[in-house]
Amino acid sequence: MSQHLLTRAAAWVSLSALLAGCTDFPAIAGNECENGVVEAREDCDTFGLGPGTFCRPKGMDGACHFDCSVHNGKRTPCPVGWGCDAEAICRKPSGHFESASDPVDVGAWTLASGDFDGDRRADVMSLEPLDSAGATRVRFHYFDAQAKVEVSREFPKLVSSPVIDNLSASLDSRSDVAFANSGVGVMLGRADRTWLPETFSSYRGVGASLRVTAIYDRRVSQISPLLPLITTPNGTGFYVPNAENGKLTQHASFKGTVAGLAGDPVSGDLLEDPRTSPCFEPVLAELGASHFTILNVCTLDAQGQLAFRDQFQQTQIELVPRASIDAAPMIADLNADGHLDVLVGAEGRPYVAYGDGYGLASATPYAMPTADNDPEAGTRMPLAVGDFTGDGIVDFVLPDYLLLSVKTGAVVSYAAAAGNRLGASWTTAKIGDFNGNGKPDVVAASNGALHLQFLNGDGTGQFTSTLISSEAPIASLATGDFDGDSIDDIAALQMPRQALPKGSLLVAFGTPLGVPSAPVSVAQVSGAEQLGSFRETGLASLFVAASDTLGGEQSGTLTLLDGDPDRLPFAPLALSEFAANGSVQDALAISIAAGRFLEKRSGDVIAVGLTSPSAGELWLVPAIETPGSTPTRLSDLNPALNPSLVGHLGLSADIGSLAADLDHDGLDEAIFAMPAGSDRAQCGLLIVSAQNPGPGLVNARAPVLLDRACPDPVLSAGDFDGDGFSDLLLLTGASLSDSRELFVLWNDGSGGFSSSALTPIASGESPQAFTILPALPAGTSLIQRSLGVAYVTSNSALLRTVIEGTHSFSEPTLLTDLPGGSGITAGDVDGDGLVDLVLAASGELSVLKAQLLVP
């Protein structure tokens, strides 16, 4: 007998002896909770099933069932794959869905899901139909515990290629959204369910500081009409981008420094001859100097077109008698002769250089008018100058009141009016028509008090005063028509509040015949030193010059916020290599993928950009939400790919994007699907992955070409055959067409794909959208042991699952009739732990709730 059999025999002998000598055990009561045995109509008895689960004890409602009640804001977990019902009892899924909820008209066309507010319930992002350029607007829908839409938030800006990922540098639990809009935009999910795009300083110079002046109201030689003055360790100068390579080139040196300026530079039409100086002339002054400088920066080229001078002309205007400048220059017609003059402060008093349209005279002391009740007004520099009263005579904004001209016949006197109500002296003021009545108004603010004071003028010297709320003191103001309604708006740089690193940029939009709107925050900025506005189209835009420190190095940054009728000035991250080579040339971002491409962290972006309709490029932005992150140009697009098209309505681009770990190395690949071939009759699949070795680098593989057109491609990924590697789902064809097809491209086990290794899921039903459903646990009435694909056609919602162990799919199961179906996404919108389906049809949203198995 073998040793194994001897051991088994000895064990049986020992067991027999033990049984012979034991006393009788009491019988276990049947069908009773807390007998330690799970019986009919029980899910548990005493013991849990998995970490954190809790079996309700005898005597408690729902005894011998798993509990999922909330304690201290945290829900007790159910066993994996189970859901939580309205009585906080865990239930198995039935494998079916409840009837579709009543539809809600929210303008939904395409759907995607994520947890944007961090409440552990899925929220839904809906997209409108794409416009002719491939752009859309998005809405965000939040649901209650009954899967009903609780609130919807619209993001007004047109975007392309919106994708959902965790992009936050803090790696919080909320989903974020990245998108293309000329550059790369990011919106971080917020618990308060508001949406504000992140603000990017696309132009950063290490060791530099800068100030910017607007020199015209349209582009000059196709270059933005902004003139930067930059101080570097090598000196200070005025720079203009080179028309060929975009690199900043110096057009004039400056003996001073940015840090030594007496306030911000200003500009105006001081030299009126359009042939010799067709742009505005910048004026700047140094603290302690006895002169200020005026520049002539533009000329006309051989074709009579506006162009920058190769070398700027500089003229120094001396102060006579000599005095040390201590206040910033400002430009106004001080003597009512129709020509602009320059006012500057020196040694506590104002000086004026009068202009005649051809040049400026030397600056001499200016006799500021005084009011009877403020004899010191004659020695104070004003905050703003202009004709508020409409009598052709200049008026002044002083730190505590308006000083207004009063004309009686040929006699002009001045009187104080509209006093300061802020509790601290005004430190900044602007003039504009903020209510569209054709009469000048004034807005003033203080860096030592809250709020803005709006002074509504009627053109006769009468002003009504209103406070516009702010949450912190105001550092500076700018004005312009930022929304295109032909009424001036007010931008205010709010100082950082205590313990907050960034200040808010606020905009109060002008209101016809009323008070400007309540300010809205449009950006968060740090280290801001200058706020200004400029115009190169029909709209005004904003710029912010700032200084910050990263890694112990000080940098100067420039942020440009484009105006827009959507009333949301916006500064996306430009696809520019400025940080690497000083070029401001950028590519037009048309599609992006967001994921973990370089390290096992959140927030990397790979973008497709265009420098011309036929010149596509790949760009990498590592950890986009990390301060100082800069784009890197990777390579040109493979010439077989043809994503963009120029038609009579302009440029359009058709790209689907996705991030997924295809080779199971812990890092994502960026996957793009787009038209290919000269006639766009093929579909190109482009995969961009991390180089190995080569940390911080990615490269594009040769594209996989499919003999099917994909003018509106859609991508997703899931492991359908259970081999541990993600496969790709690709929807081809044109949106709304009856020739759309849905395929699985099978992963070869190393992250590779082939045009021959694919399986059609829905090729005769023309699916319009699809989503992936997770496998359900065993024990449900519909056993779905593999991933499922739910998709919508023009009249129904259907489900197919992979037949286990094959590359084939089951016959479709009808989920619901859906006339006009266009969108579908999966997510636990009611928070019960089971994945629901959200459907879009004819702009309406409805929900198929996952059904719980209740005895």
Side-chain angles (χ1 to χ4, degrees):
M1 185 180 292
S2 70
Q3 181 64 39
H4 175 72
L5 293 177
L6 286 171
T7 303
R8 177 177 290 182
W12 277 111
V13 170
S14 299
L15 179 60
S16 300
L18 179 63
L19 292 174
C22 286
T23 58
D24 294 334
F25 287 98
I28 298 175
N31 297 318
E32 183 177 331
C33 186
E34 283 199 348
N35 62 3
V37 178
V38 179
E39 297 161 319
R41 304 185 66 81
E42 295 180 350
D43 291 325
C44 58
D45 198 314
T46 307
F47 302 103
L49 181 62
T53 58
F54 172 68
C55 187
R56 291 190 177 187
K58 184 178 181 179
M60 184 178 181
D61 288 344
C64 281
H65 293 281
F66 290 107
D67 177 75
C68 52
S69 57
V70 176
H71 301 281
N72 298 321
K74 187 175 181 179
R75 185 178 295 281
T76 304
C78 290
V80 175
W82 293 37
C84 184
D85 72 7
E87 282 72 42
I89 296 175
C90 297
R91 304 290 187 185
K92 293 179 182 180
S94 73
H96 299 278
F97 293 91
E98 298 180 7
S99 298
S101 64
D102 292 336
V104 181
D105 191 356
V106 292
W109 186 263
T110 305
L111 306 177
S113 62
D115 183 5
F116 303 117
D117 56 2
D119 66 353
R120 296 185 176 86
R121 286 204 299 264
D123 313 306
V124 170
M125 177 179 72
S126 70
L127 284 63
E128 296 177 352
L130 301 182
D131 67 10
S132 60
T136 183
R137 283 190 174 89
V138 298
R139 290 183 176 91
F140 298 91
H141 310 283
Y142 302 87
F143 296 79
D144 62 18
Q146 286 72 47
K148 294 182 179 179
V149 175
E150 186 174 54
V151 64
S152 294
R153 306 283 191 196
E154 181 177 358
F155 182 64
K157 197 164 292 295
L158 282 171
V159 304
S160 298
S161 187
V163 295
I164 299 171
D165 196 72
N166 189 336
L167 298 162
S168 170
S170 63
L171 296 179
D172 59 30
S173 61
R174 293 186 290 271
S175 301
D176 311 309
V177 177
F179 57 91
N181 180 305
S182 69
V184 178
V186 171
M187 294 186 293
L188 299 181
R190 296 163 59 105
D192 62 5
R193 298 178 173 179
T194 59
W195 289 95
L196 183 68
E198 295 296 287
T199 299
F200 292 97
S201 300
S202 294
Y203 308 102
R204 174 184 298 272
V206 176
S209 54
L210 77 157
R211 293 293 182 271
V212 180
T213 313
I215 53 89
Y216 208 53
D217 57 7
R218 58 185 172 89
R219 285 179 169 257
V220 180
S221 298
Q222 301 305 309
I223 297 171
S224 183
L226 290 177
L227 179 65
L229 174 69
I230 304 175
T231 296
T232 70
N234 298 321
T236 302
F238 297 94
Y239 289 82
V240 173
N242 182 282
E244 294 182 359
N245 58 26
K247 293 186 178 181
L248 293 181
T249 56
Q250 184 172 300
H251 284 231
S253 61
F254 184 69
K255 293 183 179 180
T257 65
V258 166
L261 292 178
D264 298 332
V266 293
S267 66
D269 190 13
L270 295 162
L271 308 180
E272 299 169 7
D273 189 338
R275 297 167 299 174
T276 59
S277 183
C279 293
F280 307 145
E281 291 72 41
V283 176
L284 64 162
E286 284 188 279
L287 288 169
S290 60
H291 68 269
F292 63 84
T293 301
I294 176 174
L295 290 91
N296 184 345
V297 299
C298 290
T299 187
L300 299 179
D301 63 18
Q303 289 74 41
Q305 300 299 311
L306 199 64
F308 281 105
R309 292 179 177 272
D310 292 335
Q311 287 292 318
F312 296 159
Q313 296 177 352
Q314 298 187 56
T315 303
Q316 293 183 353
I317 307 299
E318 300 290 337
L319 273 61
V320 181
R322 292 172 60 89
S324 296
I325 291 176
D326 57 14
M330 57 184 64
I331 297 174
D333 182 4
L334 293 166
N335 57 1
D337 66 350
H339 305 296
L340 294 177
D341 314 306
V342 175
L343 192 69
V344 66
E347 297 183 7
R349 64 178 301 175
Y351 276 64
V352 61
Y354 289 109
D356 60 4
Y358 296 96
L360 294 174
S362 297
T364 57
Y366 179 67
M368 277 282 294
T370 60
D372 292 340
N373 56 350
D374 185 7
E376 295 183 2
T379 62
R380 290 199 284 178
M381 273 291 290
L383 301 176
V385 182
D387 180 10
F388 313 153
T389 57
D391 60 2
I393 307 298
V394 69
D395 307 300
F396 302 89
V397 182
L398 295 180
D400 295 306
Y401 57 87
L402 304 184
L403 186 60
L404 305 179
S405 60
V406 179
K407 191 174 182 180
T408 307
V411 178
V412 176
S413 61
Y414 278 82
N420 184 342
R421 294 173 52 190
L422 298 186
S425 294
W426 296 328
T427 55
T428 180
K430 294 292 181 181
I431 303 163
D433 180 8
F434 304 113
N435 51 21
N437 65 355
K439 311 297 182 182
D441 310 309
V442 176
V443 61
S446 172
N447 60 15
L450 300 179
H451 311 319
L452 292 78
Q453 188 169 347
F454 171 63
L455 301 160
N456 182 13
D458 64 2
T460 67
Q462 300 297 316
F463 287 83
T464 56
S465 178
T466 305
L467 296 186
I468 301 174
S469 296
S470 73
E471 297 177 341
I474 303 299
S476 55
L477 297 169
T479 63
D481 180 11
F482 305 125
D483 57 358
D485 63 356
S486 300
I487 299 175
D488 289 336
D489 309 309
I490 303 165
L493 190 60
Q494 189 172 257
M495 299 172 69
R497 286 181 284 172
Q498 188 173 9
L500 294 178
K502 296 182 178 182
S504 294
L505 179 58
L506 310 176
V507 176
F509 292 97
T511 301
L513 305 178
V515 177
S517 67
V520 293
S521 177
V522 299
Q524 301 291 312
V525 293
S526 60
E529 298 175 338
Q530 181 192 16
L531 171 66
S533 64
F534 68 104
R535 193 176 68 185
E536 56 183 334
T537 63
L539 294 175
S541 296
L542 290 162
F543 64 82
V544 179
S547 178
D548 64 7
T549 301
L550 293 175
E553 291 186 308
Q554 180 271 334
S555 296
T557 65
L558 178 62
T559 304
L560 303 178
L561 297 103
D562 295 332
D564 199 291
D566 60 25
R567 294 193 162 190
L568 191 59
F570 174 50
L573 181 66
L575 294 181
S576 157
E577 294 183 289
F578 181 81
N581 59 23
S583 174
V584 299
Q585 282 186 347
D586 57 1
L588 174 69
I590 57 174
S591 183
I592 61 172
R596 299 152 184 79
F597 305 122
L598 300 181
E599 299 178 16
K600 295 179 181 179
R601 64 182 181 198
S602 296
D604 300 329
V605 167
I606 292 177
V608 177
L610 296 178
T611 53
S612 73
S614 59
E617 301 175 334
L618 287 172
W619 289 76
L620 168 68
V621 188
I624 189 170
E625 270 297 293
T626 300
S629 176
T630 57
T632 300
R633 183 182 177 276
L634 298 174
S635 63
D636 293 334
L637 276 185
N638 188 291
L641 302 172
N642 191 3
S644 60
L645 187 67
V646 178
H648 67 281
L649 294 177
L651 176 72
S652 63
D654 307 299
I655 304 181
S657 65
L658 174 69
D661 183 4
L662 301 176
D663 53 9
H664 213 273
D665 66 350
L667 295 177
D668 289 332
E669 280 70 47
I671 308 104
F672 298 94
M674 66 190 80
S678 59
D679 58 359
R680 308 182 98 220
Q682 294 177 298
C683 189
L685 193 68
L686 178 66
I687 298 175
V688 186
S689 59
Q691 294 182 9
N692 187 20
L697 300 174
V698 295
N699 69 299
R701 307 179 193 173
V704 177
L705 300 179
L706 307 177
D707 290 329
R708 289 169 174 84
C710 59
D712 296 302
V714 183
L715 281 168
S716 191
D719 180 11
F720 284 91
D721 54 6
D723 65 353
F725 291 88
S726 290
D727 309 301
L728 292 176
L729 271 69
L730 172 64
L731 181 62
T732 63
S735 178
L736 291 181
S737 74
D738 58 3
S739 60
R740 303 204 84 174
E741 296 179 284
L742 180 60
F743 297 92
V744 175
L745 285 85
W746 301 102
N747 196 316
D748 65 5
S750 62
F753 297 86
S754 166
S755 59
S756 61
L758 77 169
T759 299
I761 298 178
S763 58
E765 302 156 292
S766 190
Q768 297 300 313
F770 67 91
T771 191
I772 297 175
L773 279 171
L776 296 176
T780 58
S781 59
L782 177 64
I783 306 299
Q784 184 186 318
R785 296 184 182 277
S786 56
L787 295 182
V789 179
Y791 58 96
V792 297
T793 68
S794 60
N795 53 35
S796 59
L798 302 151
L799 172 68
R800 285 189 173 188
T801 59
V802 171
I803 298 172
E804 191 171 1
T806 74
H807 280 182
S808 301
F809 283 79
S810 67
E811 290 298 313
T813 299
L814 178 66
L815 298 175
T816 186
D817 293 328
L818 193 69
S822 62
I824 186 169
T825 191
D828 178 16
V829 296
D830 57 0
D832 66 356
L834 299 185
V835 175
D836 312 299
L837 288 174
V838 184
L839 311 175
S842 302
E844 296 180 327
L845 207 66
S846 59
V847 177
L848 293 177
K849 286 182 60 176
Q851 190 179 66
L852 296 171
L853 188 61
V854 179

